[in-house]
């Protein structure tokens, strides 16, 4: 008897919406009778924020929409930059013996070969690529921007992958010669879209509607429980920790590097979470990085 094809998907489902439903249906159409496993992030997301619904609620939404199994991504992988997030999620899916990893992309032609070719170009020019990447990072550019610009420098292809996460997944598979095939689908709506398109909207647009108490029901079946837990609500706890800890104590927190503890000490008088984040953002530290370190400080996650 033919072995069932096992497909992996990596997601935050923050919240689970119609775009996710569409992707699942496309996977089921493309790979008949497959077994779909989702590596789903913990109650915190990549930006160091609390997810709009807890793991259990998001898992339930996925299982009632065609997903066969949901496995939990650990807290550290869930809250890290794209390349660390990719590694943690794929390592988890490897234990499920998946054959194919699917993801959505915003590229016009949604061609997986663009991703595979670019990943191989980096692998074959690793030393040169790392050197260029380091130069960009030292100039203070974000990791996402630096990786794409470095790729352009070593690539002879006119197509460069658009989707950062999808590309990190592909790179991890290619670099480690994993026995998994990457496969991509075109998104219903660009991941950076600021508005909705009929029944499709991005997670951030839906979260905005929920925040403003507006009707979001045409984009998601999930009913989000109020009040929503927010990282901003923990700001006074964070302030207390920073005020009462010495710089050397703070420097033990995960990702608290290059004197960031002094920056935190300097700006901790800011009267709100968002003001504090904006005061700390610089060429050296992206917004996401600052937010992750705030989360690790609150949760007392050490190096």
């Amino acid at each position: 008897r033919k072995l069932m094809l096992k497909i992996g998907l990596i997601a935050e489902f923050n919240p689970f919406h119609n775009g996710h439903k569409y992707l699942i249906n496309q996977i089921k159409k493309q790979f008949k009778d497959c077994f779909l496993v989702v590596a789903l992030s913990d109650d915190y997301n990549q930006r160091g924020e609390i997810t709009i619904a807890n793991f259990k609620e998001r898992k339930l939404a996925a299982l009632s929409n065609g997903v066969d199994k949901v496995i939990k991504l650990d807290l550290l992988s869930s809250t890290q930059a794209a390349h660390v997030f990719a590694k943690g999620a794929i390592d988890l899916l490897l234990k499920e013996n998946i054959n194919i990893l699917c993801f959505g992309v915003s590229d016009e032609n949604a061609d997986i070969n663009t991703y595979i070719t670019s990943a191989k170009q980096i692998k074959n020019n690793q030393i040169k690529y790392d050197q260029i990447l380091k130069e960009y990072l030292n100039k203070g550019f974000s990791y996402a921007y630096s990786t794409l610009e470095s790729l352009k420098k070593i690539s002879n292809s006119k197509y460069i992958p658009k989707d950062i996460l999808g590309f990190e997944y592909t790179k991890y598979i290619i670099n480690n010669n994993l026995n998994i095939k990457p496969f991509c689908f075109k998104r219903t709506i660009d991941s950076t879209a600021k508005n909705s398109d009929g029944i499709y909207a991005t997670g951030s647009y839906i979260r905005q509607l929920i925040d403003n108490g507006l009707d979001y029901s045409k984009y998601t079946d999930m009913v989000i429980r109020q009040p929503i837990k927010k990282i901003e609500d923990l700001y006074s706890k964070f302030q207390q920790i920073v005020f009462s800890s010495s710089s050397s104590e703070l420097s033990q927190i995960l990702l608290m590097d290059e004197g960031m503890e002094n920056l935190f000490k300097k700006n901790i008088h800011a009267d709100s979470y968002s003001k504090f984040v904006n005061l700390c953002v610089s060429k050296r530290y992206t917004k996401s990085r600052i937010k992750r370190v705030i989360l690790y400080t609150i949760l007392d996650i050490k190096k």
Side-chain angles (χ1 to χ4, degrees), residues 41-79:
S41 61
D42 192 15
D43 289 347
Y44 301 94
N45 66 20
Q46 266 197 289
R47 290 178 304 282
E49 294 162 357
I50 303 170
T51 51
I52 203 148
N54 66 32
F55 175 80
K56 214 165 152 187
E57 292 164 315
R58 288 174 293 125
K59 173 183 177 175
L60 202 61
L63 292 173
S64 49
N65 280 286
V67 170
D68 298 293
K69 185 178 180 182
V70 175
I71 50 179
K72 191 177 195 172
L73 189 56
D74 64 287
L75 176 113
L76 278 189
S77 301
S78 298
T79 53

Side-chain angles (χ1 to χ4, degrees), residues 9-14 20 38-42 58 73 85 89 169:
L9 189 61
I10 299 166
E12 284 185 342
F13 292 156
N14 186 31
H20 298 131
V38 172
L40 183 61
S41 61
D42 192 15
R58 288 174 293 125
L73 189 56
F85 179 81
Y169 301 151

Side-chain angles (χ1 to χ4, degrees), residues 267-280:
N267 295 322
I268 197 58
H269 61 272
D271 59 9
S272 75
Y273 173 85
S274 56
K275 276 186 194 163
F276 176 82
V277 171
N278 290 333
L279 282 171
C280 293

